[in-house]
């Protein structure tokens, strides 16, 4: 501290989450990423209009949510017997087969976490757009941050692909409408991570007061 | 530039891992983030010990996950339980090499690589080895990114159990291996979460990145 010039105010400093290097905050253009010079971690990403983007992307995701979870993803015909399954039905079947623990983990990672992620982003962006800042907003944003890494829709999509290939030689398979909705939903959750910078939310919250 | 770049911890500032604001924080203590109120510390508390416990637990669960069958596919009442590796072997024998490779990587290579990678990171931080910190950070990023893809086989089992229940004609039943495998995946996810990558850099002076860069710091001979 002695050899250093006076430390700038805390709000003008960043620290790299991967190596803890102190960095001076700099304005970013849209599409620009600020990387840590020491370890290369992306510290900030400049995104235009994060609030509006988050609002519309999460709205689209919520519209697709019910059909993606409730409509059949795949249907198969074997010796004239027809069978189809939606994501919700598959989780319930696993539950009934005597594996409630496995079913719960699948439910969290493919249903509950994406659902909460979409609702939290929708709710927080909506209220921040209207400049309405209830005291619960920071907790909601924090919850969203924690829940996001448990949302694994992209892994589930690869799982659907593997299942299709496994079943293809056994029976006739038809892709259901639910699968298209599911792909759309997955793209929405991925966009919420890449096209939106969470930091803009914290700045819009503006709770930088207490020094 | 005599001081060089400094770390937040050296300045007594703790980074909030939720909102990325900086808050003054004494070493070894927990304070509330001044912006979002989350509990924060200079480093994740007991990071190495907790990660170590999770890694050991992960290795333990990996054994039943691979010994017990993950599911049974019955066609006309016939069929045998298959383990994770058995399922990959079947896909391979059917000529589906691409998909067999994907499943093998997601279910066998990734969990093992993740656990061994974390072991290496724990060892290198605890014994302050000379391994390049930049490469170790890259290793941690890889471990952190890959972990979720291990859920692949569990999702396949879920879909097959949900789809294929045609009684005598065809039936898919989950196996005990699925339970152990889910436990492994969850435990390794927790292990990666509890590891603090900033510990990798703490033994190094703030401005050196790799051993290659040492030459820049030495005074020129001429």
């Amino acid at each position: 501290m002695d050899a250093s010039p006076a430390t700038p105010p805390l709000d003008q400093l960043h620290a790299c989450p991967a190596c803890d290097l102190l960095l001076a905050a700099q304005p970013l253009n849209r599409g620009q990423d600020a990387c840590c010079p020491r370890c290369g971690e992306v510290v900030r990403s400049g995104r235009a209009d994060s609030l509006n983007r988050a609002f519309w992307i999460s709205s689209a995701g919520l519209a697709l949510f019910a059909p993606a979870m409730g409509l059949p993803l795949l249907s198969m015909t074997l010796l004239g017997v027809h069978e189809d399954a939606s994501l919700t039905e598959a989780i319930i079947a696993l539950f009934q087969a005597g594996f409630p623990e496995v079913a719960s983990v699948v439910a969290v990672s493919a249903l509950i976490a994406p659902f909460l992620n979409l609702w939290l982003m929708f709710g927080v962006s909506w209220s921040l757009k209207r400049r309405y800042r209830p005291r619960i907003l920071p907790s909601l944003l924090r919850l969203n941050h924690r829940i996001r890494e448990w949302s694994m829709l992209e892994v589930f999509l690869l799982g659907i692909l593997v299942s299709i290939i496994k079943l293809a030689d056994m029976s006739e398979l038809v892709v259901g409408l639910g699968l298209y909705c599911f792909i759309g939903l997955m793209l929405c959750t991925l966009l919420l991570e890449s096209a939106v910078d969470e930091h803009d939310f914290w700045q819009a919250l503006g709770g930088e007061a207490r020094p | 530039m005599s001081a060089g770049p400094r770390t937040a911890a050296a300045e007594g500032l703790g980074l909030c891992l939720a909102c990325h604001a900086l808050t003054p924080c004494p070493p070894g203590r927990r304070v509330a983030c001044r912006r979002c109120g989350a509990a924060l510390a200079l480093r994740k508390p007991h990071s190495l010990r907790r990660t170590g416990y999770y890694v050991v637990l992960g290795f333990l669960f990996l054994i039943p996950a691979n010994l017990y069958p993950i599911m049974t596919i019955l066609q006309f009442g016939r069929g045998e339980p298959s383990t994770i590796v058995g399922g990959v072997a079947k896909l391979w024998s059917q000529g589906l090499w691409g998909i067999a490779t994907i499943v093998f990587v997601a279910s066998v290579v990734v969990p093992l690589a993740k656990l061994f990678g974390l072991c290496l990171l724990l060892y290198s931080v605890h014994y302050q080895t000379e391994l390049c910190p930049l490469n170790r950070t890259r290793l941690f990023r890889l471990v952190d990114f890959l972990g979720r893809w291990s859920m692949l086989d569990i999702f396949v089992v879920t879909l097959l159990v949900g789809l294929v229940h045609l009684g005598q004609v065809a039936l898919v039943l989950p196996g005990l291996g699925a339970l152990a495998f889910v436990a492994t995946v969850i435990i390794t996810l927790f292990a990666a979460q509890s590891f603090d990558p900033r510990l990798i850099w703490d033994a190094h002076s703030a401005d050196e990145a790799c051993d290659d860069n040492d030459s820049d710091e030495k005074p020129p001979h001429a």
Side-chain angles (χ1 to χ4, degrees), chain A residues 4 11 18-20 22 38-39 41 79 83 99 109 142 145 149 151 154 156 159-160 165 169-170 202 208, chain B residues 6-9 17 19 34-36 38 43 75 99 141 148 152 155 163 165-166 174-175 193 197 201 206:
Chain A
S4 67
D11 292 333
C19 76
D20 211 27
L22 262 190
R38 187 163 71 160
C39 75
E41 181 87 357
L79 298 177
E83 189 80 53
F99 286 81
S109 54
R142 242 164 47 205
H145 183 85
E149 56 190 311
S151 157
E154 70 279 17
F156 201 97
I160 297 174
I165 292 168
D169 65 324
M170 188 169 142
W202 288 109
E208 318 233 351
Chain B
R6 295 157 302 160
T7 63
L17 295 173
C19 78
R34 73 199 160 86
R35 180 155 71 181
C36 75
R43 296 289 176 267
Q75 272 182 287
I99 214 78
R141 256 176 231 149
R148 57 196 6 253
L152 178 67
F155 290 151
L163 192 58
H165 39 79
L166 305 173
Q193 264 181 19
W201 294 87

Side-chain angles (χ1 to χ4, degrees), chain A residues 1 3-4 7 10-11 13-22 38-41 43-44 73-76 78-79 81-85 89-91 93-94 97 99 101-102 105-106 109-110 138 142 145 148-152 154-156 158-163 165-167 169-170 173 198-199 202-203 207-210, chain B residues 2-3 5-9 11 13 15 17-20 22-24 33-38 42-43 71 73 75-76 87 91 94 96 99 102-103 134 137 141 148-149 151-152 154-166 169-170 174-176 178-179 182 186 189-190 193 197-198 201 204-209:
Chain A
M1 260 225 206
S4 67
T7 315
L10 289 184
D11 292 333
L13 282 173
H14 293 329
C16 170
C19 76
D20 211 27
L21 192 69
L22 262 190
R38 187 163 71 160
C39 75
E41 181 87 357
V43 180
R44 291 277 183 280
L73 295 169
L74 296 172
S75 59
M76 62 182 276
L78 189 60
L79 298 177
V81 191
H82 183 80
E83 189 80 53
D84 57 22
E89 282 169 348
I91 293 172
L94 194 57
F99 286 81
E101 302 88 354
V102 184
V105 174
V106 176
S109 54
R142 242 164 47 205
H145 183 85
R148 220 177 32 194
E149 56 190 311
W150 293 97
S151 157
M152 305 183 187
E154 70 279 17
V155 185
F156 201 97
L158 187 62
I160 297 174
L161 197 74
V162 173
S163 306
I165 292 168
K166 274 197 171 207
L167 289 174
D169 65 324
M170 188 169 142
L173 271 181
E198 221 184 16
H199 188 246
W202 288 109
Q203 274 185 342
E208 318 233 351
R210 318 198 308 269
Chain B
S2 58
R6 295 157 302 160
T7 63
E11 299 289 316
L13 296 173
L15 176 72
L17 295 173
C19 78
H20 290 186
L22 289 162
T23 305
C33 169
R34 73 199 160 86
R35 180 155 71 181
C36 75
L42 295 183
R43 296 289 176 267
M71 66 175 152
I73 301 180
Q75 272 182 287
F76 306 107
L91 284 174
Q94 287 170 336
L96 301 165
I99 214 78
I102 292 176
V103 176
L134 185 59
T137 303
R141 256 176 231 149
R148 57 196 6 253
W149 292 93
M151 282 294 281
L152 178 67
I154 296 300
F155 290 151
V156 171
V157 171
T158 308
L159 267 171
L160 292 187
V161 169
L163 192 58
V164 188
H165 39 79
L166 305 173
V169 183
L176 210 54
L179 185 59
V182 155
I186 297 296
L189 283 174
F190 278 129
Q193 264 181 19
R198 294 171 291 184
W201 294 87
H204 296 257
S205 72
D207 46 3
E208 73 173 300

